[in-house]
Amino acid sequence: MTSKQNLRINVLAAAMLSISAGSAFAASPRTEEPQRPATAAQQTSNGIIVKYRAGTAAASDRSAKLSVVNSALSRASLNGGSARAGALSPQVVRKLGIGADLIRLQSRLGDAELQKVLAELKADPAVEYAVVNARMQRADLRAKPTETKQLVPNDPYYAQYQWHFSSATGGINAPSAWDVSQGEGVVVAVIDTGILPDHEDFSGNLLQGYDFISDAETSRRPTDARVPGALDYGDWVENDNECYTGSLAEDSSWHGTHVAGTVAEATNNGVGMAGVAYKAKVLPVRVLGKCGGSLADIADAITWASGGTVAGIPANANPAEIINMSLGGSGACDPVYQAAINGAVSRGTLVVVAAGNAGGNVSNARPANCNNVVAVGATRITGGITYYSNYGAAVDLSAPGGGGSVDGNPGGYIWQAISSSTTSPELGTSDYGGKGGTSMSSPHVAAVAALVQSARIANNRDAFTPAELEALLKSTARKFPVTIPAATPIGTGIVDAKAALAKALEEECTENCGPTAIPLTNKVAVGGLSGAGGSEVLYSFEAQAGKVLSLLTYGGSGNVSVYVSQGKEPTATVYDAKSARPGNSETVRFTAPVAGTYYIKLVGESAFSGVSLIANQ
């Protein structure tokens, strides 16, 4: 029963609306609101991820690895003393793609005892870091429903249900983009619950993928072995309290299929619904099953999906240009997630992540709070923030997620492919349903990124780097049609497929060109910034004349300086103004700015991370 022995994080439960293909809709909809995350007292685990320092015996010797862990268990003063510590009998399970080791204990530890063990491991000079093999969850809520030149798909449910593509207020402007790009030639990995490969509306759009769940109870496969393919065996839970104390029984979600549908469901084929990048290929990667999925499995999935090496797994023949992760858990970004994400980005893969559904600051939601990801908040059909969306400086932009029952059916939900079964896939047929959550927002952004990269390639342009693609998506996002409260920021706006493509295909400047810079939006912080000592990143801001302009950095660790010039790129010796105090709290103010572009250079005086930058005028 290993799935009950792992740390349960951020339970994001939901309810689902389903409509069987060709059937009448139910008369009385059932809706459920998202559950709150499990408390620390409800969370337990029997897995620890340990990265040993290079050059130590433990880095290469299995016995030395276990000796370090046993020593930490002995020092941790666990209930039951040395006998309890000895009974835990740690085992090295495997080495992750990021180079850390997964260690399994023979019985689970409560949160307080687990933190003692981690503290002792971190104090050992042979250990670079130690992290709980945490349990992550999908980030959705569900419900059960009632029934120009622009391409207007002939998919029968498109016009009535998929407002999130076409609504001028709450949608992403997809129809205007489809005349330019449909995502051909791009691979989007959906790291999730897997896929229903026989669904009627994915014809030709699916690659084989892989199942990374390494626990048979979670996966519902016969063994713990990881296997090719990513069939969703169902993530239903039979009984209350089965995943952790206080957890509830629930039906299978078919979450990965729904998310993949937003990315690339077959379109204009006279069947079901439409997808955004409907000529892209989806690479399904299964990491979530019954009661969620483990951090170790997710980290390996990120590595493999982006073309990295994972021991014992065949090389990925179709590395993804974009990864979507509509999943997460509570807590600060850990070294395991960050190492896997950094590896993916270094291989040229954009990582798009749901911001989470706790209605709190994204600083407590991983991996959305990690560096080098595009964190996506959720908006309603009105274009306003949803009641559940996480918020904060680390949210980059937003996309439709559905406001739930407050906006009714179909406008309260995002609609895509599912199964009619409430348990196993073989007991159901191809179906379509409405879900809500930042899980649903994230694939809209991933799919628009696929449209952009496809268009660049088709027009003989270089594909964007992950940083360039993130900057483009943020700078071209449509301004929110309603005011987002200052206390709950959710990025630069709503992702806009047409605007992103127009910017991506602009004629490139060849003479008298201004510097290339990442645009800032007034009063919208850019968070999670990191860099090495000596690194430089250039930003720009379009200022009005005469109104006080303030440029500020804050938060995080390390030391940065800020140099600013109007109309040209500043340097450390030539600038209009600067702020170079020790640390990260820098302020540059112009009391009487002129109209035009101000260029802001952020310089790492030493390595820094978690820094935010904002322009206020």
Side-chain angles (χ1 to χ4, degrees), residues 280-358:
K281 299 293 187 184
V282 169
L283 179 70
V285 187
R286 187 173 183 233
V287 296
L288 302 178
K290 180 180 178 180
C291 297
S294 76
L295 174 60
D297 288 345
I298 296 168
D300 274 351
I302 295 169
T303 300
W304 181 83
S306 60
T309 300
V310 177
I313 308 297
N316 177 9
N318 300 285
E321 286 85 2
I322 298 142
I323 285 174
N324 183 84
M325 291 198 293
S326 292
L327 54 78
S330 62
C333 180
D334 57 78
V336 174
Y337 258 139
Q338 195 62 69
I341 290 164
N342 289 348
V345 171
S346 73
R347 289 184 281 273
T349 302
L350 181 75
V351 181
V352 184
V353 182
N357 299 343

Side-chain angles (χ1 to χ4, degrees), residues 66-142:
L66 293 177
S67 177
V68 168
V69 177
N70 279 316
S71 178
L73 291 170
S74 297
R75 298 194 307 270
S77 302
L78 303 178
N79 294 332
S82 58
R84 172 81 185 288
L88 290 170
S89 186
Q91 296 177 343
V92 178
V93 179
R94 66 175 181 273
K95 185 175 288 292
L96 277 62
I98 58 173
D101 290 279
L102 176 59
I103 309 296
R104 179 179 294 157
L105 308 179
Q106 292 306 300
S107 61
R108 62 189 177 186
L109 293 175
D111 183 65
E113 289 189 319
L114 197 55
Q115 294 307 315
K116 289 181 181 179
V117 174
L118 290 177
E120 294 298 337
L121 281 169
K122 292 173 184 177
D124 193 304
V127 173
E128 184 176 328
Y129 61 74
V131 176
V132 176
N133 184 26
R135 208 69 181 168
M136 301 290 159
Q137 309 300 323
R138 62 183 192 270
D140 72 319
L141 60 120
R142 295 175 285 161

Side-chain angles (χ1 to χ4, degrees), residues 183-208:
E184 191 168 10
V186 175
V187 175
V188 181
V190 174
I191 297 179
D192 213 292
T193 66
I195 198 75
L196 296 167
D198 295 329
H199 195 285
E200 65 179 2
D201 214 6
F202 280 101
S203 177
N205 285 13
L206 297 178
L207 299 170
Q208 184 183 43

Side-chain angles (χ1 to χ4, degrees), residues 12 179 269 317 444:
L12 300 169
D179 294 326
N269 63 339
H444 285 84

Side-chain angles (χ1 to χ4, degrees), residues 367-382:
N369 55 15
C370 294
N371 295 326
N372 293 327
V373 304
V374 179
V376 185
T379 49
R380 299 167 53 194
I381 194 171
T382 64

